[in-house]
Amino acid sequence: KAYLRMGIAYFNLNNNEEALKQYAFLLQQFPNSPEAEEALDNAKLIYVEEGRSAAYVDFARGMGKEITVTQEEQLAYQEAEFQFNNGNFINAARKFEEYLDRFPEGKHSLDALYYKSEIYFNQKEFTKAAIGYEILSNRVPNKFGEKALLQAARIHFFELKDYEKAEAFFVKLKSYATIQENRLEAMRGLLRSQFQLKHWSDATQNAQELLNEKSIGADDRILANLALARSSQLNGSCPEAITYYRNV
């Protein structure tokens, strides 16, 4: 009990190195005591807060404790989550990346992908953010799927100017969205992507569907009619094209 209390005292004095020495001595000398389990938990907390979960695994195994792969994964995620919850976002992104490198299909991989993408997005590192959102989008359905599709589509359209990819993400978002506002944005984004790409024939169905929406604005009506006019003109349907041009 004395060694355990000394370890806690040193921890509260921000002397982690000395605290770990007390816990290590306790675990070596009294491995089967109730205090040993608490000492191990306290040591784990220190290593996780310091971002050294791998070192904790070595520490625990050196004390004769079995650490499973599942426990290793949980520790690696907790390490990143601790940085995130404390507002250390640059460190958190790095730790989420390290977690995903080790456990790409892990239990917390969706969370890690989402949170590190949100960090990169807020830091305006759009290329890095897009990578995580794209992986999440490829794994739909999942709890972050709709938001990931929306963010991926926006980034590729507005920031990266990659209209081919933006078109693909807006198509997927349109079919997947459960929130009407997101579905409407998907229809608008899809039309604008196809407009940039001059995919007039592909734009026809979506443009007609958009015109049937009650909440669209003048810009939406103009672009939809113009896309339908271009498509009709290319198909040789000149009277129909003229009608759409007149609407514009």
Side-chain angles (χ1 to χ4, degrees), residues 174 183 187 204-213 216:
K174 181 182 174 182
R183 184 174 182 277
M187 295 171 75
T204 301
Q205 182 179 345
N206 181 62
Q208 289 171 337
E209 290 176 7
L210 187 60
L211 286 171
N212 290 328
E213 294 289 333
I216 64 172

Side-chain angles (χ1 to χ4, degrees), residues 58-67:
D58 293 336
F59 173 84
R61 285 174 175 161
M63 298 298 160
K65 304 295 181 181
E66 182 182 354
I67 303 293

Side-chain angles (χ1 to χ4, degrees), residues 14 18 83 172 182 200:
N14 296 316
E18 195 58 44
Q83 298 297 323
K172 199 167 185 178
N182 290 343
W200 309 121

Side-chain angles (χ1 to χ4, degrees), residues 130-230:
I131 292 170
Y133 289 132
E134 186 168 351
I135 296 171
L136 283 168
S137 299
N138 292 335
R139 293 189 187 179
V140 292
N142 62 69
K143 60 184 177 180
F144 301 115
E146 188 165 346
K147 178 67 180 294
L149 281 165
L150 182 62
Q151 291 288 72
R154 284 173 173 172
I155 289 172
H156 283 95
F157 186 89
F158 293 109
E159 308 299 339
L160 305 181
K161 312 298 184 187
D162 186 338
Y163 302 116
E164 291 277 1
K165 276 199 167 184
E167 179 186 28
F169 284 119
F170 280 125
V171 166
K172 199 167 185 178
L173 177 63
K174 181 182 174 182
S175 64
Y176 183 79
T178 58
I179 301 170
Q180 176 58 17
E181 184 180 348
N182 290 343
R183 184 174 182 277
L184 192 57
E185 183 170 342
M187 295 171 75
R188 286 170 169 152
L190 176 56
L191 179 62
R192 283 157 175 75
S193 298
Q194 291 170 333
F195 204 91
Q196 292 287 342
L197 295 165
K198 296 181 170 55
H199 290 175
W200 309 121
S201 297
D202 294 339
T204 301
Q205 182 179 345
N206 181 62
Q208 289 171 337
E209 290 176 7
L210 187 60
L211 286 171
N212 290 328
E213 294 289 333
K214 296 179 181 178
S215 57
I216 64 172
D219 285 350
D220 296 323
R221 293 187 182 280
I222 288 169
L223 283 177
N225 275 285
L226 192 53
L228 291 167
R230 293 280 175 84

Side-chain angles (χ1 to χ4, degrees), residues 57 61 65-75 103:
V57 172
R61 285 174 175 161
K65 304 295 181 181
E66 182 182 354
I67 303 293
T68 65
V69 173
T70 301
Q71 288 172 316
E72 280 192 65
E73 182 199 334
Q74 184 68 27
L75 286 166
F103 308 101

Side-chain angles (χ1 to χ4, degrees), residues 229-244:
R230 293 280 175 84
S231 178
S232 298
Q233 185 176 352
L234 287 173
N235 291 332
S237 304
C238 292
E240 191 177 71
I242 288 170
T243 299
Y244 288 125

